[in-house]
Amino acid sequence: MKQPRARIAGYVAGKTLQKGVSPKFVKEVAAYLLSEHRVDELASLMRDVQADWAESGYVEVAAYSAHPLNAVAKKDITRQVKTLYPRARSIVITEKRDPGVIGGVRIGLPDRQFDLTVESKLRTFKQLAIAGKD
Amino acid sequence: MSSQTDLSITELSDDIRAAIAELKKRPEIESVGIITRVGDGVAWIYGLSAAGYNEMLEIEGVNGKKVTAFAFNLSEDEIGAVLLGEDTDVRAGATVRLSGAVLEVPVGPELVGRVVDPLGRPLDGGDPIKAKQNSRVERQAPGVLDRRSVYEPLMTGITAIDAMVPIGRGQRELIIGDRQTGKTAIAVDTMVNQAKQETGVVNVYVAIGQKLSKIAALQERLRREGVMDQTIIVATSPADPAALLYLAPYAGCAMGEYFRDNKQHSLIIYDDLTKHAQAYRQMSLLLRRPPGREAYPGDVFYLHSRLLERASKLNDELGGGSLTALPIIETQAGEVSAYIPTNVISITDGQIYLETNLFYQGIRPAISVGLSVSRVGGSAQTKAVKAAGGGLKLALAQFRELAAFSQFSTDLDEETRHTIERGQRLTELLKQPQYSPYSIWEMYTSLYAATEGAFDKVPLEKIKPAEQALHRELKSKHAKLVDALNTGDKPTDAQNDTIMKAAKSVAQTYEAEESRKAAISADKAEDRKSANG
């Protein structure tokens, strides 16, 4: 019987949180996906695992910015994530360079996104201005 | 081992991806399922959740026999598969493997002249078929842009059909009627005509649940008529599993499509779709699909619509090939409003309705003029036949109405009597023995002579001999006219005059003969009277 993806993700998240990622476990997951013809679901599965990790207190966020983040910015990100996940015990920020982000930072979470870029602020400002005009 | 703080989804994802790539190199990994129960031609399989609809499955049968099945029911916890072999060769616990392919059959010119089963295996005892190409049994019908409207005629050689319910290449024309009313005879005559007129149309005859003796007799007859050289017979008998009966029309269609897609013309006969629907109903009930009207499953309309939609006339860019379909439906006691007949009537581009009463009155083919119709064939009719048969349907309908009315009255006015007599002669003229299809010139000259009143004085029982005499006369003395008429172009006035002259001269012979006979019988009656006196 086909197992729901959420169930597989729950199992992977639980195991990795308890015992970390071992090569043997990685191989088991790979073999399972292969035998069930579900390799295509790997990206979605990883997103589910990340969400499960976050719910369990381990939040991994990807921060997209044009330049390296300074300590203040990282602290600000941690504070923002804390508001979303109050039970978060560990927040890991993985920095990713994106030249498209001219100013500010975009924070990627498993199933949502914080857009703290200048572009986003300008867009919001524009929308508010148009709404006020009308 | 990494600790919790080292966890990274990107790394985990990359690790798993690398492990998958590594494992894929190993050939021993394969997905297998297990048969949990089997019976009535259906097997239930645990596992193989990746199986696709209609995918072929290979079952390890008893004594190492490989039994083929196809996945038909993809439910959450198991697969319902329909066996193409004997279910006695399959046991619970047997291993099932995916083939990764949907059902295909061999197609191509190698099949022409052969009798095969729905999987393309020879049934005629001949050599194995070495087709160069295979085609999927279930294929999408050509789209709107791939088609062009029907415009070329597919002559059946049966005057009543070609004149009143003409069929065009790419059309779907249903042949419907009770048992023993000559449905198959019409289809077979159409195949025979393709050979006689050398049209080059390839025939595919799909026998669904027909007695093998009947198929053998048909094959022999077609061979004698010289039609087998351009015919493929896809045969299934009532003893075959329901799955084979279900597959037969789709397999035959795939074989016909090959010619359509290669700039040729083909004709496919489904004999008959009633049995096909019944086989599908059997499979569906065994697979526990919910029964609907008359216990048929809900998708029985789609069963036939997707099959008949594959009959088409392709546009010139795609080669201009065509696949014409003549599905056959058997009714019970003339009930055309039953479930399957109404479905197929609504799908097809017209129907030829055969009546038991007419058949037993000796009117053969027993075509009901009122109920038969061709929705698209008119534009495909040859000009000659169209010109002669234009008012035929109306004349016959008027005749039937008046004939029924006149039964209550002895005194008829001249016009009514004339309409009835003309109708009787036309009805007589449309009678045609089996395996003797007419050419265009034969149809035209008969219809023209009769509708212009050349045979009005010929006694009813002499109409057919008079028609044959006319054909003989024209063939022997007016060969050029015959050739010109056979092109299908609208005849000229001069040509019509020649036909009328010949027809009147032939008619006079029979009229004179009749008068002589009448005079002799009157003399005899006179003699008897005087002898008694």
Side-chain angles (χ1 to χ4, degrees), chain B residues 280-358:
Chain B
Y280 186 59
R281 173 170 66 183
Q282 182 185 328
M283 279 166 53
S284 299
L285 292 173
L286 288 167
L287 286 163
R288 304 197 185 164
R289 291 183 177 182
R293 183 175 159 189
E294 291 177 29
Y296 286 105
D299 63 342
V300 77
F301 185 90
Y302 179 56
L303 172 84
H304 290 147
S305 64
R306 73 174 191 267
L307 170 71
L308 292 168
E309 199 59 16
R310 287 162 72 176
S312 53
K313 166 73 190 162
L314 296 182
N315 64 25
D316 293 340
E317 283 161 33
L318 292 171
S322 70
L323 175 66
T324 312
L326 294 182
I328 294 176
I329 286 282
E330 186 182 297
T331 51
Q332 301 293 324
E335 181 63 58
V336 282
S337 58
Y339 192 24
I340 302 302
T342 45
N343 275 359
V344 184
I345 285 171
S346 72
I347 295 164
T348 49
D349 306 310
Q351 71 275 347
I352 295 165
Y353 182 62
L354 304 175
E355 277 184 33
T356 314
N357 286 347
L358 295 177

Side-chain angles (χ1 to χ4, degrees), chain B residues 380-460:
Chain B
Q381 204 172 18
T382 48
K383 286 190 181 97
V385 180
K386 198 171 195 167
L392 190 62
K393 203 168 178 180
L394 185 68
L396 284 172
Q398 281 174 344
F399 156 65
R400 293 258 158 80
E401 198 178 320
L402 288 174
F405 185 68
S406 68
Q407 285 177 347
F408 303 105
S409 164
T410 48
D411 292 333
L412 296 172
D413 62 276
E414 186 58 24
E415 198 183 334
T416 309
R417 200 179 53 76
H418 181 257
T419 310
I420 289 172
E421 283 184 359
R422 177 72 62 81
Q424 283 171 335
R425 274 156 186 78
L426 284 173
T427 307
E428 203 59 31
L429 204 69
L430 292 177
K431 288 181 185 173
Q432 206 171 323
Q434 209 184 343
Y435 309 116
S436 53
Y438 282 175
S439 306
I440 297 173
W441 75 269
E442 287 170 312
M443 282 182 204
Y444 179 75
T445 51
S446 299
L447 289 174
Y448 184 75
T451 49
E452 291 297 314
F455 293 150
D456 280 359
K457 298 272 162 46
V458 176
L460 213 54

Side-chain angles (χ1 to χ4, degrees), chain B residues 54-134:
Chain B
N54 257 351
E55 185 171 349
M56 300 292 292
L57 309 174
E58 199 177 70
I59 302 169
E60 281 181 12
V62 179
N63 300 328
K65 263 189 190 171
K66 300 275 185 213
V67 179
T68 310
F70 59 97
F72 215 62
N73 256 27
L74 303 177
S75 55
E76 211 174 335
D77 354 310
E78 58 186 352
I79 294 172
V82 180
L83 300 173
L84 292 172
E86 291 297 319
D87 51 11
T88 45
D89 291 335
V90 180
R91 294 222 174 117
T95 306
V96 190
R97 287 184 177 82
L98 291 175
S99 70
V102 290
L103 192 58
E104 287 188 345
V105 284
V107 294
E110 297 83 3
L111 284 144
V112 177
R114 304 297 302 269
V115 183
V116 295
D117 74 355
L119 301 175
R121 298 176 295 205
L123 294 174
D124 51 7
D127 296 332
I129 293 163
K130 289 174 184 162
K132 291 188 187 83
Q133 222 176 306
N134 280 342

